[in-house]
Each structure stands twice: as C-alpha cells, then as structure tokens.
C-alpha cells in the first residue's frame, strides 16, 4: 500500500500517543510534571476550543470557569472531606451554571466587545476570590490542604508521584479528546461551526444560533470546571493568582497558536505554550523574552495556527458512483 | 525580517541547551522570581547568593567540593513555582533557598518535603507555612504575627488612638494587616479604616482622599515599597501630614528615590536590621564585597535574607560534614545558636521559624537615609 | 460634597491618562481592526526612553521646563512611533490576511518581548524620574485644591484628541485613513496607498502611547516595566467603553472609566474597585452593545 498523507498522519498521531503514554518511564519527575501541566492546559484549551474555535466567540476569560471548578472542589473537600473525584461533576455543574448566568445577557455581543466582557468576567471573579467573597474562598491566602484523589482505594498524589498523576490526567485527556471529536462531527458540532462561519445563513437554515452558542459556552465552562478539580487536587493548594487574566490569555494563545478549531492543533499548542518556557529555564531571566519572540515567529510562519483544522473532504469517487447509479 | 527572527530563535534554543554537568559539586538550589512582577527581588536574591557562593568557592569550597547554585525561576506564580520545585528536586540539590511570596512558597513546600530536601524560605512570612509540621522547612524571615506584635507595640507607644490599616490584598500584606487588627482589637484600640488598595497602580489619591475623610491619627501600610512611595508622594501633594508607618516590605532605598526625600522624611517602618547597621565583621565584609561587585548597597532586605539562608546552609554542611537532609535539619533545629547572620543572630525553633527579637523600627530622616530607632 | 468633587477630579486625572493611551489604541484598531495588546508596552517604552533622554540630555536645564518637556515629548513620540512601525512590519504585516485572532496572539507575543526587553535593559527595579521639573502650583477651583498638573494632563489629552480628530476629519491624509478604515480594497482602487496609511497609523498610535508614557513618568515619578500591561488593559477597556475605533469615544471612555473607578472606590468599595469598573462596563455594553459612541455597523469578520 502506498502511504498517502492520511496514513502518515495517523501513524504520527499513534507514535505521539505511544510516546506520551510511555513518558513517565523515560522522563524524570520534573519533566513528567511539565507534561502534567501540559495535559491540564490541553484539556482547558480543548474546552475553550469549543467556544472559540467552533463557536467563533472571542472569549478571553476562560480561567474564570477553571477557577470556579477548582474553588468548588477545594471548598467542599476541605469543609466536608468529600473525595475530590466525586466532586468533579459538581465542579463542572457549578462552572456551567455560572457560565449560563453570565453568558445569557452577553452572548449577542460581537467580536471585541465580547472579548472585553469576558476579560471583565475573569477579573471580577479573581477580585471576588481575593476579597474572600461569602467568606469561603480564603481571600489572598487561598485554600490549602486539598486531598489528593483516590482511585479504587489507591491514593494518587500529584506532588509525590507526578508519574501516577500523569496517568489520571491522561485518562481524562483521552476521554476529552474522544468526546470532543465526536462532538465536532455531530450534528451539534456542524451546526455550531456553520453558525460561526455565517450566522445569518445558519439562522436562515433553521439553526437557533443563540441557543447553539450558549450551549457551546456552557459545555466549555463545564469542562474547564472539571479540569479545575484535577488542578486543585494535584497541587493541593489554590490561590487567586493562579486564575488571573494572564491564565486566560495562556489558554487563548494555546487555541489560536495551535490551530483554532483543530483538536491536534490545540494539543500541540498546549505542548508549546506550557512546555517552551520550561525548555528555556536555563536562560533564567531571558527566558520569557525568547518565548515571546518564538511566539511571534510561529504565528508569522503559520498564520492559521500550526495545525489548522483540515477542510472536510468529499471524495470524488463517491459522487461518481452515485452518478453511475442514477 | 523573517530570517533574522528565525536566527534569534535558533540562538535561543542553542543557548537554552543544558550546560555540561559539573562533577563532584555540592548543589544548592535557589528558587526565586527572575521574571514577572517581583523580578527585582528575585534578581537581587540571585546576585547575593551567587556572590556568597563565589566566596565559598574561593575559600576552597565546601567539604573540599565546589558549591554550585542551581537556579529555578518561580515567576512569582504558584503553578510555575510547583514546576520550578520539581525541577530543582530532580537536580540533586542538597538544600533549597526561597522563595519570596508566601503563596508561591506554599505551592512548593510539599514537593521539597516529599523529596526530602531542606527548604529555607527568605521572604515568606505567612504564619501557616510553619504550622504544618514540615520537618525540613525553615525560614530566615520572621512571621507576620511577630511583625504585627512589634507594629502594635510601636503604635501603642506613640499613643495613637484612631488607627487606619491599609493593605494591598496580597497574602503577605493582608496577613500582616489581619494580625495587626486582631491585636489592636484585643487592646481596644480603634481601627477607623481597614481596606485594600490595588497594587501596581500609580494614582492613589482616591484612596488617600477617602482615608483622610476618616481622620486617622496614623496610617499603618502593610504593603510594598512601590505603593508606599506613591502614597507618601501623593499625600505630600495633597498637603496632608498624617504619620505613616510601614511593614518590612518597605525596607528598600528605592522608596526614598520614588517618593522624594521631602515626602519620605518622617516615614517609619519595621524591619529586621540591614547589614549597614550591624556591627559584625560578616556584615561589613558582605557589604564591601557586594558594593565592590555590583556598585551599590543591596536593595531589598529579603534578598539579604536569602543570603542568610545560604550562609546557614553552608554552616550546617560544614558543621555536620554531610549533606544528609536529616542531619542538616537536626543541626538547624537544635544546634545552631546565635549564628551571626547578615541580619542579626539566627537560630531556629522546632517549627523552623527564626527565633529572637528580629524587628527594629527605622525612620527616614531629612537626607532620605534609613535611621535605626532605639 | 467636597469629598465627592475631590474624588471626581481624582477620577478625571486618572481618566485623562487612560484616554491618552486609549487614543492610540483606538486609532490602530480603527484602521486594522487589530487589538494591539502590545500598545501598553509601547507606552512603557515611551516612559523609559523619556527617562533616558531626560537624564542624558538635561534638556530642561538648557531650555527651561516647558520647552524642554515639549522637545522631550516630541523626541519620544518620534522614537516610539518608529518602534511602532517596526513592530507592525515584524509582527503584524505578515498576518494582514490571516484570521484576526492570529494577529492578537502575535501582539501578545510582542507584548512579552517588549516588557522583558525593558526589564533586561533597565533592570527590574522601578525607575524614578527626576523631581522638581514640573510646577507644583495648586489651583483653587470653587474652593477645591487642584494641582496644576491635572489641568495640564487633561488639557494635553484634550488637545491631542482634538488635533487627531481634526487631522482625521479635515485633512486629505485623514480622509485616506478613514477610507482605509472602511474598506481597504476599495481604498486601494481609489488610488490610496493603503500600506502607507497603515504605516502612518502605526506611527501615530504608538507615538501617542509614548507621549502618555512620558507624561506618566513626569507626573507620577515612578515607572515600572510591568505597568504597560495594566495601563494597556485599562486603555482597551476605555476604548471599548467609548466605542472602539471612535476617537472622541476613546476620550469619553477614558474619562468615564477614571471617574467610575474613583467614585466606585470612594463610595462602594476600594478593594473591589476594578471589579466595579468592569461591572459597569458590562452593564453599559448590554444596553449599548457597541459602546457609548460606537456606530452600529455590521461586524466585519
């Protein structure tokens, strides 16, 4: 069989997946933990991708949903000792409900106006956390003593054994990739992308554009909230500065740099945006300067993102056959 | 243009490559904010620790080996700090110095603890850091509650009746403000104002106007020197002459530069003594070599405390003749007595906190110098 | 009541600076529909360059304070304007036909590069402008003490805004800029050199940011390498509040944002100041989705 582009790509994906899964065997704890961060931000990027990539909504406040998930987990876990993994759905629901409440009045805003509103949202959330809103967020100190997750009675401690946590995150990341792939190719995904590329035509075709956009916003938020659980349980301690506007910018860059609307692109974006500053650790105070230059250069060379979504293919032979049968 | 940029990037990657591994050295980690909003502190810390390490190596090293300082940038951000800690923990360091902010330190504490590495923080004053029974955690800086005690004593001695407390909602400043308020409430002193400004801004006249309308006898500002300097300057511009007292994050000569001598004069702050005010030979030597190498006196007291952390580690390794964590921790907890630090005598209690009366009151005089008050 | 008016003037003083930075922001946006996140850092560069020139040339000693500051501002505006053009060439021009958000990420990268370059060149410590250059006279308006510099800053913002407005509305080049803002291809067909127009916009916008940097340095005395990010975000907020792409809108948005912050801090909560400002912004945008003075045009994607 002649290797065509499709098979090569599949081969590369498989090789990367194998390399990823075996990573803790050949990497030390530090690089494994870098991959843990990559995995967390990859899931966050994928969840933002639904809003920004498929839905086309300029959303630069995703850290707000991440924060709500993480804080829900931290508060309930430290107050009542509920195991953290049980709290994942609750963290997701909390973030989703918040997103629903916030998004309803602002979803009709266009482009840059939506951008600043989402920035405002993430800043309001951060300021609320810092000011110890309702007396439960611990203010600037944050919340500490969040217990590590337990799977079948086995404690997975992200601090002591990043390699164990790596597999927990990998399972979640893998599930996310599969689910979002199915979503992308579902009726919902197609309608959402249609809405994004031409809202008027989509509405004309009977698509409830506002409804789909709102749904995308909520799905993205739920997923970011659930990721918040895994983040809080990993580091054992959360504080407001982990959920600043800059964190939202990082997620935004992951999606756009990798390739807006493309799952492999977002994954690569997470590897680059989270991994490169660590690769440059040896440069000490120069590392962010180089990181910034790399960012600009990559954007210039791949303006659509490094791995943009591939156009849908309609194989000619399929149509030819249909013609014959007519 | 594109080619030029590509070249720069390539150069960056080459420069980022791992340095050749040095054989047979004692590695000491330094975790500090080299980038981000506290880069000034981190770069000072790096300069001081590298200077001291160079001196140790010039003397013939430690246990016959060279000391190698391994640096991790924590970016003043908890997530980055956790990574920096994992990185240092995998680099075979015998002990780690740092870091600056309490929440940043907190994100790294458990990583060092589980890796069995001594950590000596230099600028993390939140009380709870040493309340976790971590056997390998120490700090050369005092705690917020200790500073609050001295602050309240100073406020009471001056018979201020209506006290305003202003913080900036950072872990450190809020902690100090909370502790101070608690003690003042116990003493039935009246706190007429308790609120936070937003750090990093330039214009605080709105806040000063509001403060003034509450008519306090004194303002205790628990935040950092850039904001304190702007407050002093704008307070002078408003023609308001209420006395200001600051916490130990104000001990930086830049304060006077920013505020101007006229506006800064009379400002008091609490701080561990700076090397300039210590009679010991170590402090004098350190000052002259620092000035010789970098051309000025060290800016921040926290960076000097990182230097003290380094010296304490060196002392412990020399005395125990080992880099074994348990031996070092045991020595630091039990045997280190009145070690002559750059910021006064150093000893640790069982929690790893620095013991003894560390705080002094400083006042800015008309020439803009910090004068130790007795 | 006296406190209220004092707080109002406090807010206007801060708002004047937001407005000045927002002018450059909105100008670039108007033509390119690009959110230039590096604009705040151009402002920082202006402040640092101003300090270098001020201390090395000692202009104010030779020609007096007022003339010296004007010359300084013009020099800084020229330099920052050139940096702006270079920034456009390096980071934005290759992305002119790409999706809009690609240029936003490039702008974020440029912002990281600029702020870290300033940190590496000038050091991470805050820098201080020499004192005693500006007059410290205090005026009394209806019994309220108002430092003269507040009038100067507000006046400078208003003059620059009017100048820019007249330039855009009344001159031939301004017409070309407006044409390019509406439809670049059509403008090209009308014989307008659109590349030249964009270059000019990328000179004027950053130059205004640079001028704001010098003014902040002179007035507040302290400059930090991180300040561009905060001021940039505020200026972006102000520009959106007024209706982005609209020059009087940037002015109105800047002043309004300053006043909202000041009154919010004074009467609602100091610690929640920025949250209050964003909340008001969101409310205004819900009612007027394109800002206060923004035109209701179909979005160009």
């Amino acid at each position: 069989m002649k290797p065509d582009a499709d098979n090569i790509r599949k081969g590369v994906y498989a090789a990367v997946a194998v390399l990823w899964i075996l990573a803790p065997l050949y990497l030390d704890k530090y690089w494994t933990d870098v991959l843990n961060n990559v995995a967390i931000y990859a899931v966050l990027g994928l969840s933002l991708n639904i809003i920004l990539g498929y839905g086309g909504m300029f959303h630069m406040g995703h850290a707000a949903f991440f924060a709500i998930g993480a804080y829900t987990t931290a508060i309930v876990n430290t107050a009542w000792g509920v195991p953290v993994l049980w709290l994942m759905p609750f963290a997701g629901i909390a973030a989703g409900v918040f997103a629903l409440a916030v998004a309803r009045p602002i979803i009709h805003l266009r482009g840059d106006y939506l951008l600043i509103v989402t920035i405002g949202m993430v800043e309001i959330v951060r300021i609320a956390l810092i000011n110890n809103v309702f007396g439960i967020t611990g203010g600037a100190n944050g919340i500490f003593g969040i217990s590590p997750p337990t799977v079948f009675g086995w404690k997975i401690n992200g601090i002591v054994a990043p390699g164990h946590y790596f597999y927990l995150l990998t399972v979640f990341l893998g599930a996310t990739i599969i689910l979002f792939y199915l979503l992308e190719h579902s009726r919902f995904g197609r309608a959402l992308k249609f809405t994004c590329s031409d809202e008027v035509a989509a509405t004309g075709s009977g698509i409830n554009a506002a409804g789909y956009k709102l749904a995308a916003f909520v799905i993205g938020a739920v997923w970011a909230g659930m990721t918040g659980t895994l983040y809080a349980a990993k580091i054992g301690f959360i504080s407001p500065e982990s959920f600043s506007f800059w964190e939202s910018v990082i997620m935004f860059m992951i999606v756009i740099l990798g390739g807006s609307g493309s799952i492999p692109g977002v994954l690569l974006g997470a590897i680059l945006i989270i991994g490169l500053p660590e690769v440059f650790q040896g440069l000490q105070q120069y590392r962010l300067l180089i990181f910034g230059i790399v960012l600009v250069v990559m954007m210039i060379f791949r303006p659509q993102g490094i791995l943009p979504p591939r156009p849908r293919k309609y194989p000619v032979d399929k149509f030819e056959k249909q013609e014959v049968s007519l | 243009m594109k080619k030029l940029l590509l070249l720069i990037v390539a150069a960056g990657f080459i420069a980022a490559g791992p340095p050749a591994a040095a054989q047979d050295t004692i590695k000491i980690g330094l975790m500090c904010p080299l980038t981000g909003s506290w880069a000034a502190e981190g770069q000072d810390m790096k300069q001081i620790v590298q200077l001291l390490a160079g001196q140790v190596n010039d003397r013939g090293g430690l246990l016959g080996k060279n000391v190698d300082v391994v640096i991790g940038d924590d970016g003043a951000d908890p997530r980055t700090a956790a990574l920096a800690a994992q990185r240092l923990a995998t680099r075979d360091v015998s002990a780690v110095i740092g870091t600056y902010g309490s929440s940043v330190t907190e994100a790294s504490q458990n990583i060092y603890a589980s890796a069995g590495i001594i950590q000596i923080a230099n600028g993390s004053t939140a009380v709870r850091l040493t309340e976790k029974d971590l056997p390998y955690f120490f700090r050369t800086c005092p705690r917020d509650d200790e500073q609050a005690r001295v602050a309240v004593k100073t406020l009471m001695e001056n018979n201020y009746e209506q006290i305003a407390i202003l913080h900036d909602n950072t872990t450190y400043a809020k902690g100090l403000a909370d502790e101070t308020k608690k003690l003042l409430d116990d003493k039935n002193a009246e706190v007429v104002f308790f609120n936070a400004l937003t750090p990093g801004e330039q214009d605080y006249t709105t806040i000063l106007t509001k403060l003034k309308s509450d008519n306090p006898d004194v303002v205790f500002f628990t935040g950092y020197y850039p904001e304190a300097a702007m407050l002093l300057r704008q307070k002078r511009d408003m023609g308001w002459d209420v006395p200001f007292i600051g916490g130990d994050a104000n001990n930086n000569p830049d304060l006077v530069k920013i505020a101007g001598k006229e506006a800064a004069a009379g400002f008091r702050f609490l701080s561990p003594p700076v090397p300039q005010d210590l009679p010991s030979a170590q402090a004098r030597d350190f000052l002259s070599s620092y000035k010789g190498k970098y051309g000025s006196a060290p800016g921040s007291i926290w960076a000097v405390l990182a230097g003290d952390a380094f010296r304490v580690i060196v002392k412990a390794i020399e005395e125990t003749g080992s880099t074994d964590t348990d031996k070092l921790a045991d020595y630091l907890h039990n045997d280190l007595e009145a070690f002559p630090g750059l910021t006064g005598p150093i000893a640790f209690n069982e929690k790893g906190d620095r013991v003894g009366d560390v705080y002094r009151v400083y006042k800015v005089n008309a020439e803009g110098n910090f004068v130790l008050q007795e | 009541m006296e406190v209220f008016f004092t707080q109002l003037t406090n807010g206007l003083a801060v708002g004047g600076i937001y407005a000045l930075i927002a002018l450059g922001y909105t100008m670039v946006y108007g033509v390119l529909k690009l959110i230039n996140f590096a604009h705040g850092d151009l402002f920082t560069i202006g402040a640092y360059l101003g300090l270098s020139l001020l201390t090395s040339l000692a202009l104010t000693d030779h020609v007096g304070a007022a003339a010296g500051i004007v010359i300084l501002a013009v020099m800084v505006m020229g330099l920052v304007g050139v940096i702006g053009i270079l920034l456009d060439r390096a980071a934005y021009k290759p992305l002119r036909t790409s999706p809009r958000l690609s240029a936003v990420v490039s702008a974020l990268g440029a912002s990281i590069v600029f702020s870290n370059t300033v940190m590496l060149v000038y050091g991470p410590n805050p820098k201080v402008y020499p004192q005693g250059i500006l007059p410290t006279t205090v005026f009394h308006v209806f019994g309220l003490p108002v430092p003269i510099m507040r009038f100067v800053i507000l006046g400078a913002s208003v003059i620059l805004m009017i100048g820019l407005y007249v330039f855009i509305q009344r001159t031939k080049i301004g017409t070309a800029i407006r044409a390019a803002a509406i439809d670049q291809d059509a403008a090209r067909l009308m014989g307008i050199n659109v590349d030249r127009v964009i270059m000019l916009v990328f000179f004027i916008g950053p130059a205004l940011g640079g001028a704001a940097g010098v003014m902040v340095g002179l007035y507040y005395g302290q400059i930090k390498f991180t300040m561009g990010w905060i001021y940039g975000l505020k200026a972006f907020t102000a520009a959106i509040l007024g209706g982005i792409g609209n020059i009087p809108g940037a002015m109105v948005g800047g002043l309004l944002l300053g006043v909202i912050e000041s009154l919010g801090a004074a009467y609602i909560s100091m610690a929640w100041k920025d949250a209050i400002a964003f909340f008001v912004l969101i409310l205004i945008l819900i009612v007027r989705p394109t800002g206060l003075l923004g035109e209701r045009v179909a979005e160009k994607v």
Side-chain angles (χ1 to χ4, degrees), chain C residues 21-200:
Chain C
I21 309 171
L23 280 180
Y25 225 119
T26 220
M27 173 115 192
V28 167
Y29 183 92
V31 174
L32 287 172
K33 304 287 173 290
L34 163 73
I35 309 163
N36 183 8
F37 272 107
H39 188 70
D41 298 287
L42 291 166
F43 154 85
T44 313
I45 290 177
Y48 275 88
L49 284 179
L51 177 64
S52 291
L53 292 174
L54 189 66
T55 46
S56 60
L57 300 181
L59 275 172
T60 47
D61 298 344
H62 298 308
V63 292
I69 288 171
V70 170
I71 295 172
L72 177 75
V74 170
M75 286 168 72
V76 169
M77 284 172 83
L79 286 172
V80 178
V82 171
I83 295 174
I85 292 174
L86 292 177
L87 166 70
D88 176 50
R89 279 288 150 86
Y92 302 148
K93 198 167 183 216
L95 296 171
R96 211 75 93 204
T97 53
S98 314
R100 282 185 53 202
L101 294 181
S102 303
V104 170
V105 170
S106 193
L108 289 163
S111 163
I112 297 174
V113 172
F114 281 151
S115 62
N116 280 281
T117 306
V118 171
M119 177 190 89
L120 293 167
V121 172
Y122 287 92
N125 290 299
K127 290 282 170 214
V128 183
Y129 265 63
Q131 301 197 350
I133 293 174
L134 299 179
T136 50
T137 321
V138 174
F139 274 125
H140 286 268
V141 185
F142 305 117
L144 285 176
V146 183
I148 185 169
M149 275 315 292
R150 296 212 168 157
F151 289 105
V152 175
I153 287 181
L154 207 56
S157 306
V158 172
I159 290 168
L160 283 172
M161 185 211 79
I162 293 174
L164 199 60
Y165 189 72
V166 170
F167 173 71
I168 299 279
Q169 295 293 336
R170 294 272 184 270
T171 65
K172 208 168 170 187
I173 306 171
T175 313
I177 294 177
R178 274 184 293 143
I182 295 167
D183 189 333
Q184 294 194 7
D185 291 329
R188 219 170 259 127
L189 287 174
M190 296 296 124
I192 293 170
N193 186 341
V194 173
D195 285 338
R196 185 81 51 83
V197 167
I198 291 173
M199 207 169 108
L200 185 66

Side-chain angles (χ1 to χ4, degrees), chain B residues 260-288:
Chain B
K261 284 173 191 164
E262 192 195 331
F267 176 66
R268 278 166 293 174
F269 61 85
L270 312 166
S271 172
V274 293
Q276 291 88 318
D277 295 318
L278 286 177
S280 72
Q282 288 85 355
R284 268 203 313 277
D285 282 354
F286 167 72
L287 260 185
S288 63

Side-chain angles (χ1 to χ4, degrees), chain A residues 77-165:
Chain A
N77 175 263
T78 52
W80 294 292
V82 182
V84 282
L85 287 185
W86 293 14
L87 289 170
M88 252 176 105
F90 293 99
I93 290 167
V97 168
F98 176 77
L100 191 65
V102 173
R104 270 202 88 95
I106 63 168
I107 203 90
H108 65 281
L109 290 175
R110 306 258 165 184
D112 309 310
Y113 293 93
L114 185 62
L115 190 80
I116 192 75
V117 166
T118 52
I119 293 174
M121 174 187 75
V122 71
E123 278 296 276
I124 291 174
V125 167
R126 185 185 62 87
I127 292 166
L129 294 174
I130 273 199
N131 282 304
N132 199 5
V133 66
F134 313 129
I136 53 175
T137 69
N141 288 329
I143 299 174
F144 62 104
I146 306 159
S147 50
T150 326
V151 179
F152 304 122
W154 191 40
K155 218 176 203 183
I156 302 178
N157 193 323
I159 288 165
V160 181
H164 297 170
Y165 215 87

Side-chain angles (χ1 to χ4, degrees), chain A residues 125-307:
Chain A
V125 167
R126 185 185 62 87
I127 292 166
L129 294 174
I130 273 199
N131 282 304
N132 199 5
V133 66
F134 313 129
I136 53 175
T137 69
N141 288 329
I143 299 174
F144 62 104
I146 306 159
S147 50
T150 326
V151 179
F152 304 122
W154 191 40
K155 218 176 203 183
I156 302 178
N157 193 323
I159 288 165
V160 181
H164 297 170
Y165 215 87
F166 174 83
Y167 287 107
L168 181 67
L169 286 168
T170 298
V171 168
F172 185 56
L173 175 62
T176 307
I177 293 172
I178 294 167
L179 277 174
F180 285 6
Y181 178 83
L182 294 175
L183 189 76
E184 185 187 335
H185 292 86
S186 69
R187 192 192 134 73
F188 176 84
R190 284 196 305 275
L192 190 60
K193 282 199 269 187
F194 187 18
T195 310
C196 166
S197 60
D198 192 336
E199 190 165 337
V200 178
T203 314
S205 316
I207 291 171
N208 176 2
Y212 273 99
K213 281 161 96 176
L214 195 61
F217 216 81
V218 172
I219 293 173
V222 168
W223 228 260
M226 297 208 298
T227 319
T229 299
L230 290 183
Y231 174 78
K234 173 179 176 294
I235 200 161
F237 149 80
I238 51 172
S239 65
E241 62 249 68
S242 300
F243 307 100
S244 64
F245 169 43
W246 185 249
E247 292 298 310
S248 303
V249 170
I250 287 177
M251 298 172 205
F252 187 87
M253 292 195 294
I254 286 173
V255 174
I256 303 297
L257 178 76
S260 184
S262 147
I263 291 177
V266 172
L267 297 176
L268 182 62
I271 292 173
L272 291 173
I273 299 274
I274 302 300
L276 279 184
E278 295 305 320
V279 173
F280 295 146
Q281 267 279 1
L283 297 172
Q284 298 183 11
Q285 64 264 43
Y286 298 92
R287 72 190 182 113
L288 286 186
L289 175 73
I290 301 294
F291 174 67
I293 294 174
V294 171
L295 205 57
V296 173
V297 170
M298 288 193 293
M299 223 56 247
I300 292 173
F301 281 93
R302 301 287 293 177
Q304 311 284 329
I306 295 175
L307 293 176

